Coordinates of all heavy atoms in Angstrom, one line a residue:
D78 N -27.6 -62.2 -107.5 CA -28.4 -63.0 -106.6 C -28.7 -64.4 -107.2 O -29.2 -65.3 -106.4 CB -29.6 -62.3 -106.2 CG -30.6 -62.1 -107.3 OD1 -30.3 -62.5 -108.4 OD2 -31.6 -61.4 -107.1
M79 N -28.3 -64.7 -108.4 CA -28.4 -66.1 -108.9 C -27.1 -66.9 -108.6 O -27.1 -68.1 -108.8 CB -28.6 -66.0 -110.5 CG -29.9 -65.5 -110.9 SD -31.2 -66.7 -110.6 CE -32.6 -65.8 -111.3
Q80 N -26.1 -66.2 -108.0 CA -24.9 -66.9 -107.5 C -24.2 -67.8 -108.5 O -23.6 -68.8 -108.2 CB -25.3 -67.7 -106.2 CG -25.9 -66.9 -105.1 CD -26.4 -67.7 -103.9 OE1 -26.9 -68.8 -104.1 NE2 -26.1 -67.3 -102.7
G81 N -24.3 -67.3 -109.8 CA -23.6 -68.1 -110.8 C -24.3 -69.3 -111.3 O -23.8 -70.1 -112.1
R82 N -25.5 -69.6 -110.8 CA -26.4 -70.7 -111.2 C -25.7 -72.1 -111.3 O -26.0 -72.9 -112.1 CB -26.9 -70.4 -112.6 CG -27.6 -69.0 -112.8 CD -28.2 -68.8 -114.1 NE -27.3 -69.0 -115.2 CZ -26.5 -68.2 -115.7 NH1 -26.4 -66.9 -115.2 NH2 -25.7 -68.4 -116.7
A83 N -24.8 -72.4 -110.4 CA -24.1 -73.7 -110.4 C -25.1 -74.8 -110.1 O -26.1 -74.6 -109.3 CB -23.0 -73.7 -109.3
T84 N -24.9 -75.9 -110.7 CA -25.8 -77.1 -110.5 C -25.8 -77.4 -109.0 O -24.7 -77.3 -108.3 CB -25.3 -78.3 -111.3 OG1 -25.1 -77.8 -112.7 CG2 -26.2 -79.4 -111.3
F85 N -26.9 -77.8 -108.5 CA -27.1 -78.3 -107.1 C -27.0 -77.1 -106.1 O -26.7 -77.3 -104.9 CB -26.1 -79.3 -106.6 CG -26.1 -80.5 -107.5 CD1 -24.9 -81.0 -108.1 CD2 -27.2 -81.3 -107.7 CE1 -24.9 -82.1 -108.9 CE2 -27.2 -82.5 -108.5 CZ -26.0 -82.8 -109.1
T86 N -27.3 -75.9 -106.6 CA -27.3 -74.7 -105.6 C -28.6 -74.0 -105.7 O -29.4 -74.1 -106.6 CB -26.2 -73.7 -106.0 OG1 -26.6 -73.1 -107.3 CG2 -24.8 -74.3 -106.1
P87 N -28.9 -73.2 -104.6 CA -30.2 -72.5 -104.6 C -30.3 -71.5 -105.8 O -31.4 -71.2 -106.3 CB -30.1 -71.7 -103.3 CG -29.3 -72.6 -102.4 CD -28.2 -73.1 -103.3
G88 N -29.1 -71.0 -106.3 CA -29.1 -70.1 -107.4 C -29.6 -70.8 -108.7 O -30.3 -70.2 -109.5
N89 N -29.2 -72.0 -108.8 CA -29.7 -72.8 -110.0 C -31.2 -73.0 -109.9 O -31.9 -72.8 -110.9 CB -28.9 -74.1 -110.0 CG -29.2 -74.9 -111.3 OD1 -30.1 -75.7 -111.3 ND2 -28.3 -74.8 -112.3
D90 N -31.7 -73.3 -108.7 CA -33.1 -73.5 -108.5 C -33.9 -72.2 -108.8 O -35.0 -72.2 -109.4 CB -33.4 -74.0 -107.1 CG -32.8 -75.4 -106.9 OD1 -32.6 -76.1 -107.8 OD2 -32.7 -75.7 -105.7
K91 N -33.3 -71.1 -108.4 CA -34.0 -69.8 -108.6 C -34.1 -69.5 -110.0 O -35.1 -69.0 -110.5 CB -33.2 -68.7 -107.8 CG -33.8 -67.4 -107.8 CD -33.1 -66.4 -106.9 CE -33.8 -65.0 -106.9 NZ -33.0 -64.1 -106.0
A92 N -33.0 -69.8 -110.8 CA -33.0 -69.5 -112.2 C -34.1 -70.4 -112.9 O -34.8 -69.9 -113.8 CB -31.7 -69.8 -112.8
A93 N -34.2 -71.7 -112.5 CA -35.2 -72.6 -113.1 C -36.6 -72.0 -112.8 O -37.5 -72.1 -113.7 CB -35.0 -74.0 -112.5
A94 N -36.8 -71.5 -111.6 CA -38.2 -71.0 -111.3 C -38.5 -69.8 -112.1 O -39.6 -69.6 -112.5 CB -38.2 -70.6 -109.8
F95 N -37.5 -68.9 -112.4 CA -37.7 -67.8 -113.2 C -38.1 -68.2 -114.6 O -39.0 -67.6 -115.2 CB -36.4 -66.9 -113.2 CG -36.5 -65.8 -114.3 CD1 -37.3 -64.7 -114.1 CD2 -35.7 -65.9 -115.4 CE1 -37.3 -63.7 -115.1 CE2 -35.8 -64.9 -116.4 CZ -36.6 -63.8 -116.2
I96 N -37.3 -69.1 -115.2 CA -37.6 -69.6 -116.6 C -39.0 -70.2 -116.6 O -39.8 -69.9 -117.6 CB -36.6 -70.6 -117.0 CG1 -35.2 -69.9 -117.0 CG2 -36.9 -71.2 -118.4 CD1 -34.0 -70.9 -117.1
A97 N -39.4 -71.0 -115.6 CA -40.7 -71.6 -115.6 C -41.8 -70.5 -115.6 O -42.8 -70.6 -116.2 CB -40.8 -72.5 -114.4
D98 N -41.5 -69.5 -114.8 CA -42.5 -68.4 -114.7 C -42.7 -67.6 -116.0 O -43.8 -67.2 -116.4 CB -42.1 -67.4 -113.6 CG -43.2 -66.4 -113.3 OD1 -44.3 -66.8 -113.0 OD2 -42.9 -65.2 -113.4
E99 N -41.5 -67.5 -116.8 CA -41.6 -66.9 -118.1 C -42.4 -67.7 -119.0 O -43.2 -67.2 -119.9 CB -40.2 -66.7 -118.7 CG -39.4 -65.6 -118.0 CD -40.0 -64.2 -118.2 OE1 -40.3 -63.8 -119.3 OE2 -40.2 -63.5 -117.2
F100 N -42.3 -69.1 -119.0 CA -43.0 -70.0 -119.8 C -44.5 -69.9 -119.5 O -45.4 -69.8 -120.4 CB -42.6 -71.4 -119.6 CG -41.3 -71.8 -120.3 CD1 -40.7 -73.0 -120.0 CD2 -40.7 -70.9 -121.2 CE1 -39.5 -73.3 -120.6 CE2 -39.5 -71.3 -121.8 CZ -38.9 -72.5 -121.5
K101 N -44.8 -69.8 -118.2 CA -46.2 -69.6 -117.8 C -46.9 -68.4 -118.3 O -48.0 -68.4 -118.8 CB -46.3 -69.7 -116.2 CG -47.7 -69.7 -115.7 CD -47.8 -69.8 -114.2 CE -49.2 -69.7 -113.7 NZ -49.2 -69.9 -112.2
K102 N -46.1 -67.2 -118.2 CA -46.6 -66.0 -118.6 C -46.8 -66.0 -120.1 O -47.7 -65.3 -120.7 CB -45.7 -64.8 -118.2 CG -45.7 -64.6 -116.7 CD -44.6 -63.5 -116.4 CE -44.6 -63.2 -114.9 NZ -43.5 -62.3 -114.5
T103 N -46.0 -66.7 -120.8 CA -46.0 -66.8 -122.3 C -47.3 -67.6 -122.7 O -47.8 -67.4 -123.8 CB -44.8 -67.4 -122.9 OG1 -43.6 -66.6 -122.5 CG2 -44.8 -67.5 -124.4
G104 N -47.7 -68.5 -121.9 CA -48.8 -69.4 -122.2 C -48.5 -70.7 -122.8 O -49.3 -71.3 -123.5
L105 N -47.2 -71.2 -122.6 CA -46.8 -72.5 -123.1 C -47.5 -73.6 -122.3 O -47.8 -73.4 -121.1 CB -45.3 -72.6 -123.0 CG -44.5 -71.6 -123.8 CD1 -43.0 -72.0 -123.7 CD2 -44.9 -71.5 -125.2
Q106 N -47.6 -74.7 -122.9 CA -48.1 -75.9 -122.1 C -46.9 -76.6 -121.4 O -45.8 -76.4 -121.8 CB -48.8 -76.9 -123.1 CG -50.1 -76.4 -123.7 CD -50.8 -77.4 -124.5 OE1 -50.5 -78.6 -124.4 NE2 -51.8 -77.0 -125.3
T107 N -47.3 -77.4 -120.5 CA -46.2 -78.2 -119.8 C -46.1 -79.5 -120.6 O -46.9 -80.0 -121.4 CB -46.6 -78.5 -118.3 OG1 -47.9 -79.2 -118.3 CG2 -46.8 -77.2 -117.5
W108 N -44.9 -80.2 -120.3 CA -44.6 -81.5 -121.0 C -45.6 -82.5 -120.6 O -45.9 -82.7 -119.4 CB -43.2 -81.9 -120.6 CG -42.8 -83.2 -121.2 CD1 -42.5 -84.4 -120.5 CD2 -42.5 -83.5 -122.5 NE1 -42.1 -85.3 -121.3 CE2 -42.1 -84.8 -122.6 CE3 -42.5 -82.7 -123.7 CZ2 -41.7 -85.5 -123.8 CZ3 -42.2 -83.3 -124.9 CH2 -41.8 -84.7 -124.9
M109 N -46.3 -83.1 -121.6 CA -47.3 -84.2 -121.3 C -48.4 -83.6 -120.5 O -49.2 -84.4 -119.9 CB -46.7 -85.4 -120.6 CG -45.6 -86.1 -121.4 SD -46.2 -86.8 -122.9 CE -44.7 -87.6 -123.5
N110 N -48.6 -82.3 -120.5 CA -49.7 -81.7 -119.7 C -49.6 -82.1 -118.2 O -50.7 -82.3 -117.6 CB -51.0 -81.9 -120.3 CG -51.3 -81.2 -121.6 OD1 -51.0 -80.0 -121.6 ND2 -51.7 -81.9 -122.6
N111 N -48.4 -82.3 -117.7 CA -48.3 -82.8 -116.3 C -48.4 -81.7 -115.2 O -48.2 -82.0 -114.1 CB -46.9 -83.5 -116.2 CG -45.7 -82.6 -116.3 OD1 -45.8 -81.4 -116.4 ND2 -44.5 -83.2 -116.3
G112 N -48.6 -80.4 -115.6 CA -48.8 -79.4 -114.7 C -47.6 -78.7 -114.2 O -47.7 -77.7 -113.4
S113 N -46.4 -79.1 -114.6 CA -45.2 -78.4 -114.2 C -44.2 -78.2 -115.3 O -44.1 -79.1 -116.2 CB -44.5 -79.3 -113.1 OG -43.2 -78.7 -112.7
Y114 N -43.6 -77.1 -115.4 CA -42.6 -76.8 -116.4 C -41.3 -77.4 -116.0 O -40.4 -77.5 -116.9 CB -42.4 -75.3 -116.6 CG -43.7 -74.6 -117.1 CD1 -44.5 -73.9 -116.3 CD2 -44.1 -74.8 -118.5 CE1 -45.7 -73.3 -116.8 CE2 -45.2 -74.2 -119.0 CZ -46.0 -73.4 -118.1 OH -47.1 -72.8 -118.6
L115 N -41.1 -77.9 -114.8 CA -39.9 -78.5 -114.4 C -39.8 -80.0 -114.9 O -40.8 -80.7 -114.7 CB -39.7 -78.4 -112.9 CG -39.7 -77.0 -112.3 CD1 -39.4 -77.1 -110.8 CD2 -38.6 -76.1 -113.0
Q116 N -38.7 -80.4 -115.4 CA -38.5 -81.8 -115.8 C -37.5 -82.4 -114.8 O -36.3 -82.3 -115.0 CB -38.0 -82.0 -117.2 CG -37.8 -83.4 -117.6 CD -37.1 -83.5 -119.0 OE1 -36.1 -82.9 -119.2 NE2 -37.7 -84.3 -119.9
P117 N -38.0 -83.0 -113.7 CA -37.0 -83.5 -112.7 C -36.3 -84.8 -113.1 O -36.9 -85.6 -113.8 CB -37.9 -83.7 -111.5 CG -39.2 -84.0 -112.0 CD -39.4 -83.2 -113.3
F118 N -35.1 -85.0 -112.7 CA -34.4 -86.3 -112.8 C -33.4 -86.4 -111.7 O -33.1 -85.4 -111.0 CB -33.8 -86.4 -114.2 CG -32.7 -85.3 -114.5 CD1 -31.4 -85.6 -114.4 CD2 -33.1 -84.1 -115.0 CE1 -30.4 -84.7 -114.7 CE2 -32.1 -83.1 -115.3 CZ -30.7 -83.5 -115.1
V119 N -33.0 -87.6 -111.5 CA -32.1 -87.9 -110.4 C -30.7 -88.3 -111.0 O -30.6 -89.1 -111.9 CB -32.6 -89.1 -109.5 CG1 -31.6 -89.5 -108.5 CG2 -34.0 -88.6 -108.9

């Protein structure tokens, strides 16, 4: 159901959300305390 995690696909986004949730459960801080484990770029 991760559909191979290809870049620019819902499967890739789903994998990112899972990793972020694992970080949250672990108790890690976010980058620069910005409130999100995701580091977006264009």
Side-chain angles (χ1 to χ4, degrees):
D78 63 5
M79 290 289 180
Q80 300 176 320
R82 308 186 306 278
T84 307
F85 304 122
T86 68
N89 187 271
D90 295 339
K91 186 174 182 178
F95 169 74
I96 298 164
D98 190 54
E99 289 294 309
F100 284 170
K101 182 178 181 180
K102 290 176 180 176
T103 300
L105 300 184
Q106 291 187 15
T107 58
W108 179 247
M109 300 294 186
N110 288 313
N111 65 5
S113 175
Y114 295 105
L115 302 182
Q116 182 188 50
F118 61 100
V119 175

